[in-house]
Amino acid sequence: MTAPISLPPVIAIDGPSASGKGTVAQRVAQALGFYYLDSGALYRLVAVAARQAGVAWSDEAALAPIAAALDVRFEGDEIYLNQSVVTDIVRSEEASLGASTVAVWPAVRAGLLARQKAFRITPGLVADGRDMASVVFPDAKLKIFLTAAADTRAERRYKQLIAKGMDANMTALLQDIRARDERDSQRSAAPLQKTDDAILLDTTHLSIDAAVEAVLGRYKAVTQV
Ligand code: DC
């Protein structure tokens, strides 16, 4: 009998918009020497690529091949689409809205699935998104549901945008965050949800450092048993 092939370990970090999961996931990946998957960036890229191709975010049939054939490269902090840098466009509020809109379509989600799974490389992966624990990596070694109160998240996003020299309005940001929470958690395809086996980490009153420590501590605990 041959032994089953064991896949590299995955830490799945899911949660709502602007919960800090991206920063926490990146820091955890760095600490462990793991790869990092920002799955939200893929949905953002589909929205940006669709815009560039003149395809409406409501057109599921036309979006599916765009998702499946995205010509994307992540290089350090830069994101390239069709060989051009799109980092700032991908992080814009417009792309946030587009990502959340195209993400409702099952054909878009299916088109991105294999690409996400391909990030699972030795020695391991930290993946952040909405359905990392439920759909993409259901066998993740550790599942974290990272959240924070909506107004705390709006304030964090506000500070990020201002720090980048971009325009920001707190009231509009809070409204956008609530609308995205609603869309991401109410859709029928892979909605944002905490799986039963995920650990809830509320960062409303927690610093990034403390959240990173909490995840690393949990990971240590599950890998030592
Ligand atoms: O994590 P983010 O804010 O960059 O994600 C942008 C949008 O993409 C989010 O509103 C919903 C969608 N998304 C998703 O549906 N599934 C994922 N795994 C990641 C993001």
Side-chain angles (χ1 to χ4, degrees):
M1 239 179 60
T2 49
I5 299 164
S6 74
L7 292 166
V10 175
I11 299 178
I13 304 185
D14 291 301
S17 304
S19 55
K21 63 189 188 313
T23 311
V24 172
Q26 266 175 296
R27 295 259 310 264
V28 169
Q30 221 167 33
L32 296 170
F34 280 14
Y35 287 89
Y36 166 60
L37 167 62
D38 171 5
S39 64
L42 296 176
Y43 289 91
R44 290 166 180 271
L45 282 157
V46 172
V48 172
R51 219 353 94 81
Q52 289 180 353
V55 166
W57 294 337
S58 55
D59 189 344
E60 181 178 16
L63 288 168
I66 292 179
L70 270 185
D71 175 10
V72 56
R73 203 168 82 239
F74 294 91
E75 222 176 81
D77 286 339
E78 299 289 15
I79 305 174
Y80 292 78
L81 178 65
N82 302 322
Q83 318 300 326
S84 303
V85 175
V86 289
T87 319
D88 287 344
I89 303 171
V90 162
R91 299 276 161 241
S92 67
E93 287 306 299
E94 170 80 358
S96 300
L97 169 67
S100 174
T101 310
V102 300
V104 304
W105 302 118
V108 169
R109 310 197 69 83
L112 293 177
L113 197 57
R115 191 186 293 265
Q116 294 175 83
K117 286 180 187 286
F119 277 80
R120 189 173 195 168
I121 299 168
T122 305
L125 175 70
V126 182
D128 96 53
R130 304 292 186 289
D131 61 344
M132 297 299 97
S134 57
V135 176
V136 185
F137 303 110
D139 61 337
K141 194 119 194 139
L142 177 65
K143 298 179 177 181
I144 303 283
F145 191 82
L146 201 142
T147 190
D151 47 0
T152 306
R153 289 186 279 132
E155 201 181 315
R156 288 177 186 165
R157 182 72 95 201
Y158 178 85
K159 287 183 182 157
Q160 266 175 4
L161 292 171
I162 296 294
K164 280 191 208 159
M166 290 162 124
D167 268 351
N169 172 297
M170 259 304 278
T171 314
L173 282 172
L174 185 56
Q175 259 171 15
D176 287 354
I177 278 184
R178 292 212 163 110
R180 274 214 283 156
D181 282 359
E182 171 83 11
R183 201 166 35 241
D184 293 350
S185 51
Q186 297 307 315
R187 68 179 180 223
S188 52
L192 170 67
Q193 58 178 5
K194 179 191 163 304
T195 53
D196 288 343
D197 52 355
I199 292 159
L200 179 70
L201 192 58
D202 187 332
T203 66
T204 308
H205 304 293
L206 215 57
S207 69
I208 295 286
D209 283 348
V212 170
E213 282 314 310
V215 177
L216 288 172
R218 291 288 186 163
Y219 188 66
K220 212 167 164 187
V222 295
T223 48
Q224 272 173 356
V225 286

